[in-house]
């Protein structure tokens, strides 16, 4: 006998992976330059030069047995010290190394955190639109995902809707800003309103509701937009961070969990994170890259490259008559399907070799996600196809 739930998950790829694989097959037939692949959130900007320099220095100068050896289960102490100091300096939160748990990226940060916080049958609120894997992660932790719908047009969180979704079974909410798939950055006003609802509900229900901040895109913001640091607004916060996008290191699998020192029973929450990491086999994140991020803790990719892509794509698509949510961060553009049917839009675009992701599985129907973490030139080459499609729909 095998676990049928796992069999089902393994047998069916995520829609993003499905489209990404199709693009590769199609490129083999008609040439990569003729396929406009906007399917996957794989960074297109090189890691900052400091990252490779740090890796080379570590590999050539550090004793290799120690460099490649196990670290503490929760991560090397010097690494956790550097990250805690960085959080203190950047956001003023009194995080110490004993609040940090090193992980294999945001996916591991989330699976560990959910396992640490949820008890069987408890609920976790997801703000639509949301990263599709959240459902898998919550269910795997024994929880039940509950979807909260956003404000129409702005795609900010709707605090009234949130309030209506919270029950005595609610243990946590996951907030992702900048958001995948909308590119929206939740404003300080939104964050304050969300925290007010959570505070009130905690008081009313008499138990903590944890705010899980999923932050792989924190540094990917354009202009003078800033992303509120949630620990400074709400005590029961756990941050799930990753260097996948901030340093363009998605394949190296490195990130961390930071438990707020002000969380109720903060020490127990942290120990529960350690226990969840242990139970899932997520101990000792990749040793070399723990030390690389320690030595490049202030480094960031060149966000200007993504901004240039955002400006071109958002400008051209809105001019062509598409309804788009203006993204202030991440590298996704959320576009309304002109007929209201995301799959029909996807199929019509596919016929023109334009590939993006229909988002009905992201908690909102009728939208597609265009991942613009691609060469600028791919966007330029794809524009005639976007314009032709707009004409086909009678938009322009
Ligand atoms: N959370 C969100 C919102 C994401 O978009 C992603 C990846 O694209 C992840 C988590 C997982 O990130 P990682 O590759 O660091 O595991």
């Amino acid at each position: 006998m095998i676990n049928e739930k796992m069999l089902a998950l393994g047998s069916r790829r995520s829609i993003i992976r499905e489209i990404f694989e199709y693009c590769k097959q199609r490129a083999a037939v008609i040439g990569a330059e003729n396929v406009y692949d906007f399917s996957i959130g794989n960074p297109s900007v090189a890691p900052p030069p400091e990252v490779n320099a740090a890796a080379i220095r570590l590999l050539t100068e550090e004793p290799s047995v120690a460099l490649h050896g196990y670290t503490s289960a929760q991560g090397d102490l010097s690494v956790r010290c550097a990250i805690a100091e960085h959080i203190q300096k950047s956001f003023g939160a009194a995080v110490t190394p004993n609040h940090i748990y090193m992980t294999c990226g945001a996916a591991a940060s989330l699976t560990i955190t959910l396992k640490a916080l949820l008890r069987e049958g408890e609920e976790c609120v997801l703000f639509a639109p949301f990263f599709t894997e959240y459902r898998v992660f919550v269910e795997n932790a024994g929880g039940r995902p509950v979807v909260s719908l956003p404000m129409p047009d702005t795609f900010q969180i709707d605090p009234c809707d949130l309030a209506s979704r919270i029950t005595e079974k609610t243990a946590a909410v996951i907030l992702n800003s900048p958001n995948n798939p909308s590119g929206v950055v939740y404003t300080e006003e939104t964050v304050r309103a969300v925290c007010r609802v959570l505070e009130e509900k905690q008081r009313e229900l008499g138990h903590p509701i944890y705010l899980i901040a999923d932050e792989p895109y924190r540094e990917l913001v354009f202009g003078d937009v800033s992303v509120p640091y949630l620990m400074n607004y709400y005590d029961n916060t756990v941050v799930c961070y990753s260097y996948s996008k901030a340093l363009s290191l998605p394949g190296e699998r490195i990130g961390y969990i930071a438990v707020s020192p002000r969380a109720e029973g903060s020490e127990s929450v942290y120990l529960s994170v350690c226990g969840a990491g242990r139970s899932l086999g997520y101990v000792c994140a990749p040793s070399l890259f723990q030390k690389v991020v320690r030595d490049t803790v202030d480094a960031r990719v060149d966000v200007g490259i993504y901004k240039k892509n955002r400006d071109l794509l958002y400008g051209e698509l809105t001019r062509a008559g598409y309804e788009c949510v203006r993204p202030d961060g991440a590298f996704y553009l959320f576009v309304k399907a002109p007929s209201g049917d995301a799959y029909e839009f996807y199929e019509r675009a596919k016929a023109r070799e334009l590939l993006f992701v229909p988002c009905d599985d992201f908690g909102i129907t009728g939208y597609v996600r265009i991942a613009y973490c691609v060469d600028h030139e791919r966007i330029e080459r794809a524009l005639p196809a976007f314009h032709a499609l707009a004409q086909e729909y009678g938009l322009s």
Side-chain angles (χ1 to χ4, degrees), residues 21-66:
E21 292 303 325
Y22 170 84
C23 290
K24 282 201 281 190
Q25 286 163 14
R26 191 74 185 137
V29 179
I30 63 168
E33 70 287 2
N34 298 314
V35 180
Y36 311 121
D37 176 7
F38 296 98
S39 61
I40 202 163
N42 214 357
S44 56
V45 174
E50 302 93 293
V51 168
N52 285 353
I56 291 165
R57 191 191 56 71
L58 287 161
L59 285 166
T60 49
E61 292 176 15
E62 294 287 314
S64 61
V65 172

Side-chain angles (χ1 to χ4, degrees), residues 105-107 110 131 134 176 180 214 216-217 242 244-245 253:
L110 287 162
F131 179 50
Y134 288 170
N176 167 227
N180 174 8
D214 179 25
Y217 302 96
S242 157
S244 295
K245 323 284 171 162
R253 314 309 300 138

